Amino acid sequence: MGRALASALLAAGREVTVWNRTPGKAGGLGAREASSVEEAIEAGDLTVVCLLDDASVRETLAPVAPKLDGATLVNLTSGSARQARRLAGWLDGHGVRLLAGGIMAVPPTVGTDGAFILYSGARDLFDRVAPVLAPIGRPQWVGADPGFAALYDMAALSGMYGMSAGADHAVTMVHREGGDVEAFKREVLGPWMEQMLPFMVGGADMSESVPEEYNPAMQATGLENMLAASQEAGVPEDLAGHLRASLWRMRRAAA
């Protein structure tokens, strides 16, 4: 992801200095490679951090924290809202202005029209930084709370993995019963999921209730049939977790 971000910025004519915990990974990128974190931060007036997790961000920044006073930092590392708020407080204590971010893209789509980046933190900071980072993805401010970008990122990823789990389960069922997986994906699963996606997102609800027109008792029976069909096909039970979660909700709504 770091390489994709740097490549998009370089393609837009930005001057980019990079640092990686494993030296040499910037080979062929065209960016200047710093030999240390401190050198990378001093190379410009805006620092973008994209590492494995919150712990790696703190581990990387802690040794240079006393020298960060006055710096502007954008953290695009995935993490929780609580971690983002704690990081913002810690950096504020060192005189650093933080804009927290969440990348709504995978590396091959960074810099394309479909990519967008969630940002949270001070609005004036976002307004100053957004034009600089726009080449990596459409900037979208989601609030002053530094935890909101991470919150929305994790929640959106949850939705994505839910769809991915359902798709994996679906093709496994077809494969186990000897069906044509590629034809199923192309002619049935893809068109069906595209048709239903607006309804799934629009009807998403945080309560345990279900609209009466959904007929939760009927839905529960349908889900029980799906689970039975999955078991008959020999699909591992762990792949059907999304069905059991939906069944739990329908049963509670029907009770």
Side-chain angles (χ1 to χ4, degrees):
M1 180 60 81
R3 189 178 183 89
L5 296 173
S7 294
L9 292 170
L10 287 164
R14 306 286 191 265
E15 292 185 10
V16 181
T17 298
V18 298
W19 174 85
N20 191 282
R21 288 180 291 175
T22 303
K25 284 201 170 183
L29 186 60
R32 174 174 172 265
E33 187 169 6
S35 59
S36 67
V37 177
E38 185 175 355
E39 181 184 343
I41 293 173
E42 291 175 348
D45 57 3
L46 175 63
T47 299
V48 177
V49 179
C50 185
L51 294 170
L52 176 63
D53 55 16
D54 181 71
S56 62
V57 172
R58 287 178 175 271
E59 179 183 341
T60 299
L61 294 179
V64 299
K67 301 180 180 181
L68 292 177
D69 186 33
T72 298
L73 190 148
V74 175
N75 183 32
L76 298 181
T77 304
S78 294
S80 71
R82 180 176 296 179
Q83 288 172 334
R85 291 170 184 138
R86 287 176 175 172
L87 181 66
W90 178 68
L91 289 171
D92 184 64
H94 290 285
V96 181
R97 295 199 75 190
L98 173 70
L99 193 64
I103 304 172
M104 305 311 298
V106 293
T109 63
V110 167
T112 67
D113 291 341
F116 62 102
I117 315 294
L118 306 175
Y119 294 101
S120 59
R123 182 63 198 238
D124 68 300
L125 182 58
F126 168 78
D127 290 340
R128 177 165 65 86
V129 168
V132 180
L133 298 183
I136 66 178
R138 174 174 54 83
Q140 183 171 331
W141 187 70
V142 294
D145 185 328
F148 275 10
L151 173 66
Y152 289 11
D153 179 30
M154 291 293 102
L157 287 173
S158 172
M160 181 197 75
Y161 276 102
M163 290 192 299
S164 177
D168 287 344
H169 180 266
V171 298
T172 302
M173 285 184 67
V174 172
H175 171 71
R176 290 293 180 96
E177 293 282 18
D180 186 333
V181 170
E182 292 306 315
F184 170 71
K185 289 196 292 185
R186 181 179 62 252
E187 299 170 9
V188 180
L189 185 61
W192 174 243
M193 293 186 75
E194 288 177 5
Q195 180 187 156
M196 295 306 298
L197 182 59
F199 295 98
M200 289 190 293
V201 174
D205 193 343
M206 71 291 295
S207 72
E208 295 178 4
S209 63
V210 174
E212 288 186 10
E213 61 267 27
Y214 279 37
N215 194 337
M218 181 194 71
Q219 297 279 355
T221 299
L223 286 158
E224 289 166 352
N225 289 336
M226 285 178 241
L227 285 166
S230 177
Q231 291 170 354
E232 289 175 6
V235 177
E237 287 191 8
D238 285 347
L239 278 181
H242 62 297
L243 296 179
R244 287 192 291 273
S246 295
L247 178 58
W248 173 86
R249 185 179 184 189
M250 294 302 170
R251 282 174 172 168
R252 289 182 67 90

